[in-house]
């Protein structure tokens, strides 16, 4: 059994409990946790030891993984089947996805990862785009990504603008005479305009349903 087949089981309540409150909220000898361990092979070694001795890193990973599974419950049955078929056909995809979840540092990004995956399995983005956008998701902070998708008018010299520009998501919109003459002032920089690059447009679109 694969680690993500839990999305097709009837233990949604226990998954949500762990996703929202962590494993410390539950008795480690609880039969439901034993059920979770049976459905998620990578958890088996975690649940073989007592709660008190479980490392912080393992606790954090379990919570993030369950948070991701919680998001997958919003998929239609057809989308769940498409996802599990993808894992079955590409045995490295599951491993890569687990590594991605482990690397995510902000819980808010878990939802975006589930949206990227959903758009991939529904053929709205390609596999190369999926992994390209995931890399951006891992590199950028939640605040910077939120700034990107919530704005349509990019101008000024804020840290967010420069960071998105450095990642290839924004490009300058025209060049002023002052720039050509090397006479940029703070006032000119404040009015400087940017626009989304093809990468920026694709990434923003990939994060939306």
């Amino acid at each position: 059994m694969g680690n993500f087949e839990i999305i097709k089981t009837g233990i949604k309540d226990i998954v949500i409990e762990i996703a929202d409150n962590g494993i410390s909220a539950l008795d480690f000898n609880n039969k439901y946790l034993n059920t979770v361990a049976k459905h998620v092979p990578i958890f088996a070694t975690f649940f073989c030891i007592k709660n008190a001795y479980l490392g912080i890193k393992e606790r954090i990973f379990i919570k993030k993984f369950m948070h991701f599974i919680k998001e997958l419950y919003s998929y239609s049955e057809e989308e769940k089947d498409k996802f599990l078929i993808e894992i079955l056909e590409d045995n490295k995809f599951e491993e890569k996805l687990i590594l991605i979840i482990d690397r995510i540092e902000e819980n808010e990004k878990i939802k975006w990862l589930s949206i990227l995956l959903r758009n991939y399995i529904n053929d709205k983005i390609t596999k190369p785009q999926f992994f390209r956008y995931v890399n951006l998701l891992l590199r950028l902070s939640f605040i910077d990504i939120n700034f990107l998708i919530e704005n349509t008018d990019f101008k000024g010299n804020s840290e967010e603008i420069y960071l998105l520009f450095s990642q290839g998501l924004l490009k300058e919109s025209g060049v002023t005479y002052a720039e050509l003459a090397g006479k940029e002032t703070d006032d000119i920089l404040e009015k400087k305009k940017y626009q989304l690059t093809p990468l920026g447009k694709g990434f923003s679109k990939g994060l939306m349903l």
Side-chain angles (χ1 to χ4, degrees):
M1 174 176 285
N3 291 290
F4 292 99
E5 290 182 41
I6 190 173
I7 62 175
K8 299 287 285 185
T9 65
I11 56 173
K12 182 177 178 179
D13 289 345
I14 193 70
V15 169
I16 292 175
E17 178 69 24
I18 298 175
D20 292 345
N21 301 308
I23 58 172
S24 59
L26 301 164
D27 177 4
F28 228 66
N29 294 317
N30 190 300
K31 63 179 181 180
Y32 294 115
L33 279 179
N34 293 329
T35 301
V36 169
K38 290 177 182 177
H39 288 292
V40 186
I42 57 172
F43 286 2
T45 53
F46 299 159
F47 293 162
C48 284
I49 56 178
K50 292 183 179 180
N51 189 12
Y53 296 102
L54 196 66
I56 294 176
K57 183 177 180 181
E58 288 78 14
R59 288 172 182 268
I60 292 173
F61 173 76
I62 290 171
K63 192 173 189 296
K64 287 191 294 185
F65 186 89
M66 288 306 199
H67 190 174
F68 183 68
I69 295 298
K70 176 184 173 182
E71 293 295 336
L72 296 190
Y73 279 130
S74 67
Y75 285 25
S76 68
E77 290 304 310
E78 181 182 2
E79 288 172 330
K80 290 176 185 176
D81 288 338
K82 284 182 179 179
F83 169 53
L84 294 177
I85 289 172
E86 174 67 27
I87 288 177
L88 185 63
E89 293 179 346
D90 182 354
N91 56 12
K92 291 188 178 296
F93 191 79
E94 179 177 18
E95 180 182 350
K96 290 177 181 177
L97 199 51
I98 290 173
L99 291 174
I100 290 166
I101 294 170
D102 189 40
R103 288 181 59 193
I104 287 181
E105 296 179 351
E106 297 167 290
N107 284 333
E108 295 89 346
K109 291 184 179 182
I110 295 288
K111 183 177 182 64
W112 280 329
L113 176 61
S114 74
I115 292 174
L116 285 174
L117 179 64
R118 195 174 199 168
N119 283 331
Y120 164 58
I121 63 176
N122 286 323
D123 298 319
K124 293 182 178 179
I125 60 175
T126 65
K127 182 176 284 189
Q129 285 177 317
F130 171 74
F131 286 112
R132 188 176 300 126
Y133 299 159
V134 164
N135 282 332
L136 287 168
L137 185 69
L138 293 173
R139 291 204 304 267
L140 296 169
S141 72
F142 167 79
I143 294 174
D144 295 322
I145 297 173
N146 213 42
F147 177 84
L148 176 71
I149 62 179
E150 289 191 350
N151 285 279
T152 55
D153 185 24
F154 300 97
K155 64 180 180 180
N157 61 344
S158 68
E159 290 183 355
E160 291 87 352
I161 291 287
Y162 282 123
L163 193 146
L164 296 175
F165 177 78
S166 71
Q167 295 295 319
L169 300 172
L170 295 178
K171 64 180 179 180
E172 294 182 22
S173 181
V175 181
T176 65
Y177 174 79
E179 291 176 87
L180 291 173
K183 297 179 180 179
E184 288 184 318
T185 64
D186 289 340
D187 183 57
I188 291 174
L189 289 173
E190 286 290 345
K191 298 176 182 178
K192 196 170 185 178
K193 294 184 177 182
Y194 297 81
Q195 62 186 26
L196 290 171
T197 63
L199 177 62
K201 291 177 182 178
F203 182 49
S204 297
K205 188 175 180 180
L207 294 173
M208 300 177 187
L209 292 174

